[in-house]
Amino acid sequence: MSRDILSAAESIPSSCLHRIFRAAERREVESGAEVVKLHVGDPYFNPSDDVADAFVDAVRRGDTKYTGVEGLGELREAVVDKLRTDNEVDSAVSRLLITPGSCQGLAALLQTLAEPGAEILIPELHWPVHLQQALLAGFRPVLYPLGPGLRPDPEVIAAAATERTRVLLVNSPANPTGVVLDQGELRTLLDLARGRGWHVISDEAYEHFLYDSEHTSVASLERDVPPAERIVHSVFSFSKSFAMTGYRLGYVALADDRAADVMKVVQEANIIGTSTPVQYAGIAALNSRAESTAVNRKKVQHNRDVILSPLVEAGLLRELPAGGWYAMLDVARTGLDAETFATRLLESKGVAVVPGEGFAMRPDADDRGRVRSHDYAPWARHLVRVAFCVDPTSLETGVTRLLEFVDECGDGANVAAG
C-alpha cells in the first residue's frame, strides 16, 4: 500500500491516558519500586461476591454460548427496570443494547449516528477517548469553550454550532472535571438540542458518584415525549458503580427503535455479542445495586472529603469535585508545565498523574475525519488530573508526595530567584 494514503485512524494522536499508563509501568520495571497510581480510574474496591459467583456459575453450567447482538434478554429486562426505577428513564427492551463496556457502547453509538460531513459538539476540556471515538466514527469535532466553573454555557454552544452539527455530547458527572450539571442546566441543553434538530449523547458512567446532590439522567427529561420524537441516547457502565472495570460491561438506551435497529447492525459488524458469563454477572450486580452502589460511593467520597482537602488548602484545587472520580489540579505555582510536572513527579516521587493538556487537544480535521494537525488549549498547560478512587493509603501517600514535590519546586524557584 502506498505510504501516501493516510487512514483516519493513523492520523489520530494517542491518548495522554495511555502514554502515562505505559510510562508508569516502565518506571516500575526499571526501578523495581511500586508506583503510586493516581492516573487511572480503577477502583481499589472489588465487585460484591454475588457478581463473581454469577460469573463462575454461568461458566460451570455451560452458559458460554453466543447471545443475540443486543444482549441477554434477562439482563436487558433488568436494565430497563433499573432505568425506570432509578433514573426515571422510560426505555424498552427493544431500545436497549448490552455492550462490552460503556466505552465500546459509545463508539458504536457514534458510528450509529455518524453521517458524511457531520459535526459533534464536545467541550474543550474533555475525556480524550470521546474525541478519538468521534474522529474514528467520521465526525468532525467542534470544541466549545467552557464557562465559569468549567460548566457548559448554552449561548457559547449555540454560537459554536453550524448547519452541519448533528450531535451534542453531555457528560455529567464529568471526566475529567468532576462537574455535575443540575436538572435546570440539563433541560436548557436539551431544549437547545431539540430546537436545533440535534441528537444528544449522554455519558453517565459516574451516575452513582455524586457527593452533594442527586443525579439527573438527561433522558428522564423527555420521558413524556413519544419515543419516535426523542433525541437522547444514554450510555451507562457497570465499571464504576459496581467496580467491574475488567469485566467490560455497559449498555446503551437508544432514543427510538430506529436508532436501536441501526446500532444492532453496527454491533453485528463490531462485536457479534457481549461475553455471556459477564452478562450473568451484570444481572447479579443489578439485583444488589442499592446496597453496593451506596457503599462504593461512600468509599470514594471519604477519599474526596478527607484526603483531597489538603490540595484545596494548598491552592492546587479550587474546590472538591462535585462528582466522578477525578480532580483537576492547577500546578502553575511550580513554574512547570503539566507535562514536565507529571514526568518529574513520576521520576522523583514515584507518583503517576495525567497532564491536563491531553484533555484539551484541539485537532484540525478534514471532512473525512483525518487529523491534519493538532495543538492544545494554552489555558490547560498547568492542569493535571488525579484519580481519587484508589486505595486510601495509596492516595494519601500520593497526595503527600505531590505536595512535597510542589514545595520543592517552590524552594527551587526561590533559590533561583535569589
Side-chain angles (χ1 to χ4, degrees), residues 49 62 93 101 106 116 149 174 202 205 240 279 312 330 342 381 398-399 403:
D49 291 342
V93 170
L106 279 163
S202 180
K240 315 303 180 184
Q279 293 187 67
V312 178
D330 186 336
R381 67 187 302 266
V399 168
L403 290 171

Side-chain angles (χ1 to χ4, degrees), residues 233-278:
H233 311 276
S234 308
V235 184
F236 296 87
S237 176
F238 284 79
S239 293
K240 315 303 180 184
S241 301
F242 305 105
M244 293 172 63
T245 50
Y247 282 75
R248 309 312 304 133
L249 189 64
Y251 53 97
V252 179
L254 285 301
D256 55 53
D257 286 288
R258 179 184 176 187
D261 289 341
V262 175
M263 186 166 164
K264 289 173 190 176
V265 175
V266 172
Q267 293 297 66
E268 287 173 5
N270 278 335
I271 64 165
I272 305 299
T274 302
S275 164
T276 302
V278 167

Side-chain angles (χ1 to χ4, degrees), residues 271-308:
I271 64 165
I272 305 299
T274 302
S275 164
T276 302
V278 167
Q279 293 187 67
Y280 280 104
I283 294 171
L286 289 176
N287 287 340
S288 60
R289 67 183 181 274
E291 179 180 354
S292 61
T293 56
V295 169
N296 292 342
R297 180 189 57 77
K298 288 178 181 178
K299 289 177 179 177
V300 181
Q301 181 160 7
H302 172 269
N303 282 0
R304 183 199 80 141
D305 294 348
V306 176
I307 305 176
L308 291 192

Side-chain angles (χ1 to χ4, degrees), residues 181-407:
L181 303 182
D182 62 35
Q183 186 174 119
E185 291 172 302
L186 292 172
R187 188 175 294 281
T188 299
L189 294 176
L190 178 58
D191 290 345
L192 171 63
R194 185 173 297 283
R196 297 293 186 94
W198 305 337
H199 293 276
V200 173
I201 292 178
S202 180
D203 180 352
E204 302 181 32
Y206 298 92
E207 60 170 322
H208 289 109
F209 294 91
L210 286 80
Y211 310 114
D212 306 305
S213 61
E214 296 295 322
H215 177 66
T216 297
S217 290
V218 187
S220 70
L221 304 179
E222 60 172 9
R223 62 183 176 274
D224 296 327
V225 175
E229 300 174 19
R230 295 176 186 173
I231 62 172
V232 180
H233 311 276
S234 308
V235 184
F236 296 87
S237 176
F238 284 79
S239 293
K240 315 303 180 184
S241 301
F242 305 105
M244 293 172 63
T245 50
Y247 282 75
R248 309 312 304 133
L249 189 64
Y251 53 97
V252 179
L254 285 301
D256 55 53
D257 286 288
R258 179 184 176 187
D261 289 341
V262 175
M263 186 166 164
K264 289 173 190 176
V265 175
V266 172
Q267 293 297 66
E268 287 173 5
N270 278 335
I271 64 165
I272 305 299
T274 302
S275 164
T276 302
V278 167
Q279 293 187 67
Y280 280 104
I283 294 171
L286 289 176
N287 287 340
S288 60
R289 67 183 181 274
E291 179 180 354
S292 61
T293 56
V295 169
N296 292 342
R297 180 189 57 77
K298 288 178 181 178
K299 289 177 179 177
V300 181
Q301 181 160 7
H302 172 269
N303 282 0
R304 183 199 80 141
D305 294 348
V306 176
I307 305 176
L308 291 192
S309 292
L311 297 173
V312 178
E313 295 165 6
L316 300 174
L317 183 61
R318 187 172 63 88
E319 60 184 2
L320 294 176
W325 285 3
Y326 311 101
M328 291 297 284
L329 312 186
D330 186 336
V331 298
R333 59 179 274 197
T334 65
L336 304 176
D337 62 79
E339 192 75 37
T340 303
F341 180 94
T343 299
R344 294 185 183 177
L345 180 66
L346 180 61
E347 292 174 348
S348 65
K349 299 293 185 180
V351 178
V353 297
V354 187
E357 276 190 340
F359 298 93
M361 189 180 82
R362 302 184 299 189
D364 174 26
D366 64 20
D367 289 342
R368 287 181 284 180
R370 294 181 300 189
V371 178
R372 293 175 293 214
S373 64
H374 70 277
D375 63 4
Y376 302 95
W379 49 262
R381 67 187 302 266
H382 295 297
L383 300 180
V384 298
R385 192 193 75 170
V386 170
F388 57 92
C389 58
V390 301
D391 174 76
T393 301
S394 295
L395 180 61
E396 187 170 13
T397 299
V399 168
T400 298
R401 292 181 185 178
L402 188 151
L403 290 171
E404 290 173 354
F405 179 71
V406 168
D407 288 341

